[in-house]
Amino acid sequence: MARNIQSLERAAAMLRLLAGGERRLGLSDIASSLGLAKGTAHGILRTLQQEGFVEQDDASGRYQLGAELLRLGTTYLDVHELRARALVWTDDLARSSGESVHLGVLHQQGVLIVHHVFRPDDSRQVLEIGAMQPLHCTALGKVLSAYDPVAHSEALETERKAFTDRTVCDAGEFEQILDLTRARGYAADVEETWEGVASIAAPVHDRRRMPVGAVGITGAVERLCRDGELRPELIAAVRDCARAVSRDLGAGRF
C-alpha cells in the first residue's frame, strides 16, 4: 500500500486550520494545534507562503490563507458551473446529432475534457473525462485558440505535432484557420487528429462574454460529412448548444 507523504498531510492540515475559526493565527498557535515543533511548522508555512497559499501579516506576524488558494478555488468553481450548466444541453446535442459530445477547457497548453456524453447507441465507448487534446488540430482546441488569447499564445508557442497528413502545423496557415473559425463561429477537424474521425466545436462564453470553454461533437467522417463537407444541420446543432450554455452562464444573446 502506498504511504502518504507526511509533509503534504501537514500542509493540508495547516490550510484547513487557517480556513476555519480565527482568520489569522500565529506560529505558536498553528504548531500547538497540530502537535508540531515550531521549526517544522515554520518551514511548512514558509513554503506555503512562497507558493502564495499562505500570507503573513507584516504587523502581527500572523498567518492567513493566500490569494493563490482563492484563484484555484475560483477556477474550480468556474469549471464546475460550466459543467453544471452544460449537462442538459450536451445531452440534447448527443440525442439530436447521434454523436458523442465533449466539453473542453484550456489546461496546461492543451484541452482538458471536463464532460463527455456518450454517443446514444449500443457501441462500446470509453469515458474521456480528464483526457487531454492538442490545441492546434482538434476542433475544441481551435475554438479555444481562436477566442482565448492565452490559448492562442500557447498554441503558437508549443510544438504543433503532425498527427495525420492533414494536420496543419505551419503558424501562418494555423492563423488563417483561426481567422476562419472566428468568422463563422465554429471550428472543424476532419481527420487532422485521428484518421477517419471528424469533429465540430463552438465556443462557450460566460457572463463577462469571455471564452470559458468549447463544446463539440465527434464521430466518424462518413456520419459527420456529406459529399465531402460537414453536414450543416450538425454545425447548427453544435452552435445552438454552445449558445444555450453561454446564455445559461449569463452571456446573453450571441
Side-chain angles (χ1 to χ4, degrees):
M1 181 181 294
R3 298 176 60 186
N4 293 339
I5 300 175
Q6 189 180 54
S7 59
L8 292 179
E9 289 182 331
R10 289 172 171 174
M14 282 185 185
L15 294 176
R16 292 191 186 98
L17 181 64
L18 291 170
E22 295 183 40
R23 305 303 296 177
R24 293 179 180 175
L25 293 172
L27 174 60
S28 296
D29 298 324
I30 295 171
S32 61
S33 295
L34 299 178
L36 299 175
K38 282 188 179 181
T40 301
H42 184 256
I44 296 172
L45 285 167
R46 186 172 62 247
T47 301
L48 290 172
Q49 185 178 359
Q50 289 171 349
E51 295 299 325
F53 296 134
V54 164
E55 295 174 355
Q56 186 177 27
D57 181 67
D58 291 335
S60 67
R62 290 174 173 263
Y63 294 90
Q64 64 185 20
L65 295 180
E68 182 65 11
L69 276 179
L70 176 61
R71 187 190 70 80
L72 292 176
T74 301
T75 300
Y76 169 77
L77 291 173
D78 286 346
V79 171
H80 181 72
E81 183 181 10
L82 174 62
R83 289 186 66 241
R85 298 291 185 179
L87 290 177
V88 172
W89 300 112
T90 51
D91 282 348
D92 286 347
L93 178 58
R95 282 193 295 268
S96 65
S97 67
E99 303 296 343
S100 62
V101 178
H102 295 91
L103 183 69
V105 299
L106 177 66
H107 180 68
Q108 294 182 349
Q109 301 180 327
V111 183
L112 174 67
I113 303 302
V114 297
H115 185 53
H116 176 201
V117 183
F118 282 163
R119 185 170 63 253
D121 59 23
D122 295 328
S123 62
R124 184 177 180 180
Q125 301 173 61
V126 177
L127 188 65
E128 296 181 22
I129 294 176
M132 293 291 294
Q133 294 185 3
L135 286 169
H136 69 287
C137 56
T138 61
L140 294 172
K142 292 177 190 177
V143 163
L144 293 174
S145 299
Y147 288 90
D148 185 335
V150 176
H152 180 216
S153 297
E154 292 186 350
L156 290 176
E157 292 170 1
T158 56
E159 178 188 4
R160 290 177 296 281
K161 176 184 175 182
F163 292 92
T164 73
D165 57 7
R166 292 174 177 260
T167 307
V168 174
C169 301
D170 177 75
E173 291 182 55
F174 180 63
E175 289 284 15
Q176 292 176 5
I177 290 173
L178 299 188
D179 289 341
L180 179 61
T181 297
R182 286 185 285 265
R184 62 189 185 183
Y186 72 92
D189 165 12
V190 181
E191 297 189 286
E192 293 179 47
T193 312
W194 302 281
E195 296 283 355
V197 177
S199 58
I200 306 165
V204 175
H205 296 81
D206 66 5
R207 62 184 59 86
R208 300 162 296 175
R209 301 180 77 85
M210 297 294 291
V212 292
V215 63
I217 60 173
T218 300
V221 171
E222 58 266 24
R223 294 197 304 268
L224 267 65
C225 296
R226 182 186 299 126
D227 299 325
E229 300 291 335
L230 290 167
R231 292 164 54 191
E233 67 271 23
L234 294 180
I235 295 172
V238 171
R239 296 192 67 197
D240 286 346
C241 177
R243 283 192 289 260
V245 178
S246 297
R247 285 196 300 270
D248 276 7
L249 288 171
R253 295 185 63 85
F254 273 82

